[in-house]
Amino acid sequence: GVVKTKTSAVVSCFTKQKDVETELEIVLHSVNKKWEIFDILVDGASLAQTYQKKYAKKIDEKGIDGIMADMKAEIAKLKK
């Protein structure tokens, strides 16, 4: 299903694999007249909140420059 306003929308669906049903919700926001994915929820768990908590701890430990360096190194590794 889809729930939509002028500036946001939530698209909900279910997927089933090996008799396990999983709910997916894609949260979109309208930015400069384009729809952009804001968050994805898997069985109600927000990926944005999960990553926010993960990176907040890393930023406290390494600072933003350290995180950016880690991300660049990971991207370089994936390109190989």
Side-chain angles (χ1 to χ4, degrees), residues 20-72:
V20 176
E21 190 171 78
T22 302
E23 181 182 17
L24 299 175
E25 294 176 272
I26 302 168
V27 181
L28 302 113
H29 287 184
S30 178
V31 178
N32 297 324
K33 298 183 181 181
K34 288 183 173 183
W35 289 102
E36 295 183 3
I37 296 174
F38 179 75
D39 197 2
I40 298 173
L41 289 85
V42 179
D43 284 337
S46 165
L47 291 180
Q49 287 180 350
T50 298
Y51 282 109
Q52 182 181 24
K53 289 176 186 175
K54 176 182 175 181
Y55 283 103
K57 182 179 177 186
K58 287 186 176 192
I59 289 170
D60 286 345
E61 293 170 357
K62 296 183 175 189
I64 193 69
D65 292 333
I67 296 301
M68 294 302 293
D70 288 353
M71 287 181 171
K72 287 177 183 176

Side-chain angles (χ1 to χ4, degrees), residues 1-17:
V2 177
V3 177
K4 183 180 172 189
T5 68
K6 287 184 178 182
T7 59
S8 66
V10 178
V11 179
S12 300
C13 64
F14 290 87
T15 182
K16 190 172 185 179
Q17 252 184 336

